[in-house]
Amino acid sequence: MNEPKHLHKLYMLFPFFSVMKSIIPILVLLIIKGVNWSKFPWYGYAAAIVLFTLPFILYGWFKWRKFSYTLQDDRIVLRQGIFVREEKSIYFSRIHSIQTQQPLIQRLLRLAQLKIETPGGSKEADGVLPALAVAEAERVEQWLYQKRNEAAKKEEAPPAAEYAENDTSYDEGKSPEQKEDRIEEPSPLVQRERKVLLRLSAGRLFAGALTTMNLPLVVVFGTGVYSFADDLLPAHFYSSLVERAGQLPAIWWLGLVPVMFLLAWILSAVLFTIKYAGFTVEQEGGNITIVSGLLDRKKHVFSPRKVQAVEIREGLLRQPFGYAEVEIFVLTSETEKKMMLHPLLPLRDVNELLARIVPQFELQPPANRPPNRARWLFLRWKLLGAVLLGTAGTVFLGPMGALLFLFIPLFAVWGYGCFKDEGMSIQGKLLTIRHRAISRRTALMRRPHVVTVDTVATSRQRNKSLLSVRA
């Protein structure tokens, strides 16, 4: 284990792939613009490809040759750098977590990336092995976890002086070489038993995606498409589009809203299914492993003791049928990391899921709810927003825009729903807070994990003897 090892040889291609990600949009643009490729001979293209590819392959070979990792008795040592050599030692006792990931390039090449995080380290990772065979990545990950646990047990063990007499008697009659062998003998790699706790099919994931609107995924995807299309479309495209849109009647605009909403809904469902494809929750020893992703496959390993909070979210389409989405917040080396635990689960089965994975949490209805005198505080801003929406529609769209005033009853029901769903309770060491913005969210937190509790009161709240509590 003390011999330096190199990454997989396909790591040599990584610099070339990184450059190709920037070149592909340019090639697509040239194809769309109809460039005459036949005016150059084939050997000219072949020479250009060789001259373009060779330097990056050569650079990748140097990077692969100069990158090595060594598994020692108490640390892992990473060495890299072509002109400036860098050596980093990460002691097993300082390892907080190890994450195995398969970004798109690694997944296409059937490789894996290993990230090693330590408390107080960088946001990315303190140590990264970017290209390992999948079997080698699992072996190194298991070795690091085993060594970390052994280091933690040594730190918790009593001082060695208490056992000095036993050690002396054990070593009597042995040569110095035999004593040294006994001290440095590495512990064998213990195979951890894996138990599948949860596995979801693509159909179940897609059904869960259809019952919620994942706007962040749609926004990120739409931004990427817009950035790519901005390079391909002619300069006058947007101005002509806006000019034509201004000539459409108001009824077209009102009809366009539900169509755009439907398209965004379907797109979010597809992106959600791709993001969490192959969703599996396993138990390895005392740790929980969550694996998901079709294009960018990620593996998160954590101890149930590191879970700081659980959030149960009931969307508008899920709540009438008694379904919810469960997420957990896990303490990492820098901050809390939000992870999906189950995308679509009957509410009655939430406690069974929590008992198997994070038994320190239990879903219970909040015992304390807002008094009736607080009802208006939940209604006022919703009603004001509906009035402003109807006024703006009347000013800009005329009589047809006045139909937006019909949202006033809908917004009133929304505000009343927020009032009815608000609540909190403290039972033993478990803090439960329920709140509704659009979806109803129930947060479960252990009281020892609560860092701060803020109480806020506006002048209207003070007049009614009310407070807002945030934890």
Side-chain angles (χ1 to χ4, degrees):
M1 279 293 179
N2 291 329
E3 297 179 359
K5 292 187 176 183
H6 292 285
L7 301 175
H8 197 281
K9 291 185 178 180
L10 288 177
Y11 180 63
M12 302 177 193
L13 302 177
F14 277 38
F16 173 72
F17 286 142
S18 299
V19 174
M20 284 303 298
K21 287 192 297 185
S22 303
I23 298 297
I24 288 177
I26 300 176
L27 295 177
V28 173
L29 179 61
L30 294 175
I31 293 174
I32 292 177
K33 288 185 176 296
V35 175
N36 184 13
W37 302 95
S38 60
K39 62 181 180 180
F40 298 105
W42 67 268
Y43 52 83
Y45 289 112
I49 292 174
V50 171
L51 293 176
F52 175 79
T53 305
L54 190 59
F56 294 104
I57 299 296
L58 187 61
Y59 174 66
W61 182 85
F62 278 111
K63 286 192 67 176
W64 171 81
R65 189 72 180 83
K66 295 296 183 179
F67 195 117
S68 66
Y69 64 96
T70 306
L71 299 173
Q72 299 184 357
D73 293 335
D74 60 344
R75 77 196 79 173
I76 178 173
V77 181
L78 307 179
R79 298 180 179 89
Q80 59 182 318
I82 299 176
F83 302 106
V84 179
R85 296 290 291 165
E86 177 185 351
E87 179 175 315
K88 179 179 291 187
S89 297
I90 303 177
Y91 288 85
F92 299 140
S93 59
R94 293 288 297 165
I95 294 177
H96 183 279
S97 63
I98 304 112
Q99 307 294 342
T100 303
Q101 301 178 352
Q102 282 186 293
L104 182 58
I105 293 179
Q106 282 88 337
R107 192 157 176 78
L108 292 175
L109 298 177
R110 297 184 179 182
L111 302 176
Q113 174 177 272
L114 208 64
K115 288 188 175 183
I116 305 171
E117 299 177 345
T118 62
S122 61
K123 291 184 179 180
E124 293 297 325
D126 296 278
V128 179
L129 300 176
L132 297 175
V134 175
E136 175 67 7
E138 292 180 354
R139 189 189 69 84
V140 173
E141 178 191 3
Q142 190 171 347
W143 172 270
L144 293 177
Y145 270 121
Q146 179 175 327
K147 287 297 184 178
R148 187 196 67 174
N149 295 336
E150 292 177 0
K153 290 179 181 179
K154 288 181 180 179
E155 292 180 354
E156 296 175 358
E162 298 181 9
Y163 302 96
E165 183 178 351
N166 294 334
D167 287 346
T168 303
S169 61
Y170 180 86
D171 288 335
E172 286 181 357
K174 292 188 176 184
S175 64
E177 292 78 7
Q178 290 175 322
K179 295 180 183 179
E180 184 177 354
D181 291 341
R182 185 178 76 88
I183 294 174
E184 297 183 354
E185 182 180 358
S187 58
L189 184 61
V190 179
Q191 296 293 330
R192 295 183 297 177
E193 181 182 357
R194 289 188 178 183
K195 179 182 178 182
V196 177
L197 302 178
L198 177 66
R199 178 177 285 125
L200 298 179
S201 64
R204 186 68 180 271
L205 283 171
F206 190 69
L210 285 175
T211 56
T212 185
M213 172 64 76
N214 300 282
L215 286 179
L217 287 176
V218 176
V219 171
V220 172
F221 181 80
T223 303
V225 171
Y226 172 80
S227 177
F228 180 70
D230 190 47
D231 297 330
L232 302 180
L233 297 175
H236 59 83
F237 176 80
Y238 294 107
S239 58
S240 61
L241 182 64
V242 172
E243 184 178 340
R244 292 180 181 179
Q247 299 173 358
L248 295 176
I251 190 65
W252 280 72
W253 285 101
L254 293 177
L256 188 62
V257 172
V259 172
M260 295 299 295
F261 182 82
L262 178 63
L263 293 177
W265 180 33
I266 297 175
L267 178 60
S268 70
V270 173
L271 295 176
F272 184 90
T273 306
I274 293 174
K275 180 179 180 180
Y276 292 106
F279 187 88
T280 306
V281 180
E282 298 177 340
Q283 185 177 22
E284 298 184 44
N287 295 327
I288 300 297
T289 302
I290 298 179
V291 183
S292 64
L294 179 63
L295 300 179
D296 187 1
R297 194 160 185 82
K298 295 183 179 181
K299 177 181 178 182
H300 300 284
V301 182
F302 60 91
S303 170
R305 297 190 303 270
K306 298 293 185 181
V307 177
Q308 304 294 293
V310 176
E311 184 178 81
I312 297 95
R313 185 169 61 184
E314 303 168 71
L316 292 177
L317 297 178
R318 295 176 174 181
Q319 188 176 348
F321 301 99
Y323 279 83
E325 173 183 292
V326 183
E327 295 178 318
I328 56 176
F329 294 82
V330 181
L331 182 65
T332 62
S333 59
E334 276 294 312
T335 57
E336 287 183 346
K337 183 179 292 184
K338 189 176 182 180
M339 300 182 189
M340 178 70 67
L341 189 59
H342 202 299
L344 185 66
L345 180 71
L347 197 60
R348 63 179 181 273
D349 296 337
V350 169
N351 279 331
E352 180 183 349
L353 176 70
L354 297 180
R356 285 189 295 163
I357 299 176
V358 280
Q360 66 270 35
F361 294 95
E362 182 182 1
L363 176 62
Q364 296 179 353
N368 303 309
R369 300 185 179 276
N372 289 330
R373 62 180 183 274
R375 185 187 297 113
W376 172 248
L377 300 178
F378 289 88
L379 291 171
R380 56 180 182 174
W381 293 113
K382 274 80 173 178
L383 294 176
L384 178 61
V387 171
L388 293 177
L389 180 63
T391 303
T394 304
V395 171
F396 292 102
L397 301 177
M400 291 298 300
L403 294 175
L404 294 177
F405 280 110
L406 296 177
F407 281 102
I408 292 179
L410 181 61
F411 278 50
V413 172
W414 176 26
Y416 183 75
C418 293
F419 165 72
K420 292 293 291 183
D421 289 331
E422 200 81 5
M424 66 169 293
S425 64
I426 300 177
Q427 297 179 355
K429 292 186 177 182
L430 186 64
L431 171 64
T432 302
I433 297 178
R434 178 170 288 173
H435 173 72
R436 176 185 289 279
I438 302 296
S439 303
R440 186 170 75 174
R441 299 170 182 262
T442 304
L444 310 177
M445 293 175 281
R446 301 288 295 176
R447 290 176 62 187
H449 297 159
V450 178
V451 179
T452 59
V453 177
D454 298 329
T455 57
V456 180
T458 64
S459 58
R460 181 65 63 89
Q461 287 177 317
R462 288 195 297 269
N463 293 336
K464 295 188 176 185
S465 301
L466 299 172
L467 286 174
S468 297
V469 180
R470 299 187 181 95

